[in-house]
Amino acid sequence: MSKIQREPALYIDGRWVSGGGGDLEVENPATEEVTGLITQASAADVDAAVAAARAAFPAWAATPVAVRAAMLRRVHDVIAERADVFADTVHREQGSPPKVARGLHVDTPLAVIDKTIDALESFAFRSEIGNSLILRQPVGVVAAITPWNLPLHQVVVKVIPALAAGTTVVLKPAGLTPLTAFELARAFEAAGLPAGVFNLVTGSGRVVGDQLTRHPDVDQVSFTGSTKVGRQIAATAAGTLKRITLELGGKSASVVLADTDDELLAKAVKITVGNCYLNGGQTCTALARLIVPVEQVEQVERLAAEAAAKYAPGSRLGPLISAEQRKEVESFLDPSTGGTSTVTVLGGVDRVGGIELPERGHYVTPTVFSRVDPESQLATEEIFGPVLSILTAGSDDEAVALANNSIYGLSGAVWGADRDAAIAVAERLQTGQVDVNGGAFNPGAPFGGYKQSGVGREMGGYGIADVLEIKAVQR
Ligand code: NAD
């Protein structure tokens, strides 16, 4: 039996107060054991958290940038000192293997905090246009509503830029992974953040998330999660015309251009498989479609089978978050979801390759399908599990058209021997992020989606700008 983390209180106005919304168990998806017990917020708790954030806003907004930056530096250092606690908490509630938990779930958000502080220190809060003084001022109270896939990172990319900008925050983390948010609240407390500047409430999206979205004293909702809920939030927020930031789903494409040589092709397939399977396939940026020249499809299938077979469930490949999510992903494991020409290269419902699954935990077999029909369910819907679809293209132009054939536009990749030509293809992709020939993730670069992948941008200076109003003062 693993340890059970008990969190009987919420963090409101700088104090730990007992929540009035009943208890909620948190499951470890790798063991299916209870690993945490939290209290949920009542409607009165949510009102208290918003009131605390509202009351704290004027003083925090007026706090000099250098003081806010120093405070965030302390928060960074506290998280870094407690990195093992954060990694263990993510490991227990989200199921990530320990190494992944440390790198992806703790070191990456730490890098994001670092880059946000850099961006804050050079941010132009005042500028001039002719006789106008242009002021960029914090919007007020921001409600952050976050998903379960990256329990620290998804919170950090919202809350840290908001605090940097001078807004105050009420956070509602996902009900499946709330424990990491409690550790973060403790880090804010230890760093000495003034009371009310950051508040933590928990509970279901339907109740607590909805209340925050409707709340007349919340000025902006910053949401990360599914496109379905994003649409609901946009509709609800329209009632008060509050500002929204939406970071939603994706079905991103990795495009291999015709001039790609064997060495680069091997790298493209290996990195695409790794990216698609990252975090058990549960990342919004997953490169879930690999689009390759039709002449190279057999070679790509061999390379993909080899690369994917290295993701042993239980060691390199973590579990899915819940039994419900596993059921959802399993519904995509039948090759017929990809149309009649689809072949199973690895995994799938037939368990091609015979990869073993641990006895306990919400694991699914790593899967690669090929020759997938671009209009099929498999090629068009977000799966949020370790399932890669290989599609073929007769030309580079067709590959671009296939990549853009999606309601989503979050991420993407392009591979080609001629780097400038590959960058020119990146310019044609309707998506917020593109990595050319394996270009590394940049924690200071803007992040967000085209089309139904979202509204607004997070991270770096763009993340700060996202929660600022703009005022023109004529002199
Ligand atoms: P979800 O949409 O079910 O829930 C996200 C959050 O919204 C949770 O905190 C939930 O409690 C809350 N919520 C649910 N209904 C609500 C409502 N009616 N009003 C207000 N809040 C509500 O998403 P999930 O299942 O937790 O996460 C997976 C999804 O998130 C995937 O679709 C994935 O692509 C997306 N995602 C996007 C990004 C990005 O940055 N674009 C990052 C990670 C995940």
Side-chain angles (χ1 to χ4, degrees):
M1 190 75 182
S2 62
K3 77 172 182 191
I4 296 182
Q5 183 175 335
R6 290 174 203 279
E7 299 286 358
L10 304 169
Y11 190 64
I12 298 174
D13 205 14
R15 289 190 304 271
W16 292 94
V17 293
S18 52
D23 291 345
L24 181 76
E25 286 184 347
V26 181
E27 184 201 48
N28 179 334
T31 63
E32 301 178 50
E33 289 174 342
V34 174
T35 190
L37 189 67
I38 65 156
T39 182
Q40 301 184 88
S42 65
D45 296 326
V46 175
D47 282 341
V50 174
R54 173 62 56 203
F57 173 64
W60 183 244
T63 300
V65 164
V67 177
R68 293 207 298 264
M71 175 60 69
L72 294 180
R73 177 64 60 202
R74 280 204 291 284
V75 171
H76 172 282
D77 294 348
V78 173
I79 297 172
E81 278 160 25
R82 300 179 183 176
D84 289 346
V85 175
F86 278 93
D88 177 62
T89 310
V90 173
H91 167 62
R92 284 186 295 112
E93 70 175 344
Q94 197 271 344
S96 269
K99 252 191 172 163
V100 178
R102 181 59 198 258
L104 173 68
H105 291 278
V106 183
D107 294 345
T108 302
L110 280 172
V112 168
I113 299 175
D114 203 41
K115 293 293 176 200
T116 309
I117 296 167
D118 287 352
L120 172 62
E121 285 171 339
S122 60
F123 196 89
F125 285 95
R126 298 164 87 89
S127 59
E128 288 182 16
I129 298 177
N131 68 321
S132 300
L133 177 64
I134 310 300
L135 304 177
R136 310 195 76 180
Q137 300 183 313
V139 65
V141 174
V142 173
I145 301 177
T146 54
W148 44 260
N149 66 331
L150 301 164
L152 182 61
H153 178 81
Q154 301 293 12
V155 171
V156 156
V157 294
K158 296 191 180 308
V159 172
I160 299 295
L163 299 182
T167 66
T168 53
V169 174
V170 178
L171 166 68
K172 191 210 83 67
L176 292 170
T177 57
L179 301 176
T180 309
F182 282 87
E183 297 304 339
L184 184 65
R186 277 193 266 278
F188 283 131
E189 189 181 31
L193 193 71
V197 171
F198 169 84
N199 305 275
L200 170 66
V201 295
T202 54
S204 80
R206 222 170 11 84
V207 178
V208 174
D210 186 70
Q211 187 183 347
L212 286 169
T213 308
R214 288 177 198 280
H215 209 295
D217 255 348
V218 169
D219 299 285
Q220 180 158 344
V221 174
S222 182
F223 167 80
T224 299
S226 61
T227 293
K228 182 173 156 229
V229 173
R231 284 190 203 105
Q232 285 168 14
I233 286 188
T236 306
T240 44
L241 281 179
K242 57 172 57 79
R243 295 163 48 129
I244 48 172
T245 307
L246 304 175
E247 297 291 350
L248 310 175
K251 187 75 183 182
S252 298
S254 179
V255 177
V256 175
L257 300 177
D259 72 346
T260 303
D261 56 42
D262 283 355
E263 194 185 329
L264 188 59
L265 182 68
K267 184 177 170 190
V269 174
K270 189 172 158 210
I271 289 184
T272 302
V273 168
N275 178 296
C276 180
Y277 289 179
L278 185 67
N279 208 32
Q282 303 164 116
T283 66
C284 48
T285 50
L287 297 172
R289 295 181 295 154
L290 175 58
I291 301 174
V292 301
V294 67
E295 311 80 49
Q296 284 172 318
V297 69
E298 281 169 19
Q299 192 183 349
V300 168
E301 286 166 354
R302 273 196 307 278
L303 289 166
E306 208 179 293
K310 294 196 174 126
Y311 286 79
S315 53
R316 205 161 165 199
L317 189 71
L320 299 179
I321 191 69
S322 63
E324 196 188 351
Q325 186 69 12
R326 179 176 50 187
K327 222 170 133 207
E328 177 73 24
V329 172
E330 280 172 349
S331 74
F332 286 94
L333 295 188
D334 193 315
S336 67
T337 57
T340 49
S341 59
T342 298
V343 294
T344 308
V345 173
L346 189 86
V349 77
D350 299 324
R351 302 277 289 277
V352 172
I355 291 176
E356 300 274 326
L357 293 181
E359 268 175 32
R360 294 194 64 84
H362 305 305
Y363 292 95
V364 295
T365 178
T367 293
V368 178
F369 291 120
S370 187
R371 309 175 197 223
V372 174
D373 178 345
E375 300 301 332
S376 66
Q377 200 192 350
L378 195 57
T380 55
E381 292 184 18
E382 183 180 50
I383 300 174
F384 234 55
V387 182
L388 176 70
S389 294
I390 300 171
L391 283 69
T392 57
S395 67
D396 289 349
D397 282 345
E398 191 189 346
V400 170
L402 286 173
N404 287 337
N405 180 31
S406 176
I407 61 165
Y408 300 112
L410 191 56
S411 189
V414 181
W415 306 86
D418 179 342
R419 189 164 160 268
D420 290 339
I423 292 171
V425 168
E427 288 187 37
R428 295 168 62 195
L429 296 186
Q430 295 156 357
T431 172
Q433 299 263 319
V434 189
D435 302 337
V436 173
N437 290 346
F441 173 73
N442 178 352
F447 181 92
Y450 280 37
K451 301 193 271 186
Q452 294 190 36
S453 284
V455 175
R457 290 293 180 273
E458 293 187 326
M459 306 219 311
Y462 288 86
I464 295 172
D466 203 59
V467 289
L468 295 175
E469 283 286 12
I470 301 170
K471 180 182 287 177
V473 179
Q474 285 60 247
R475 300 166 289 180

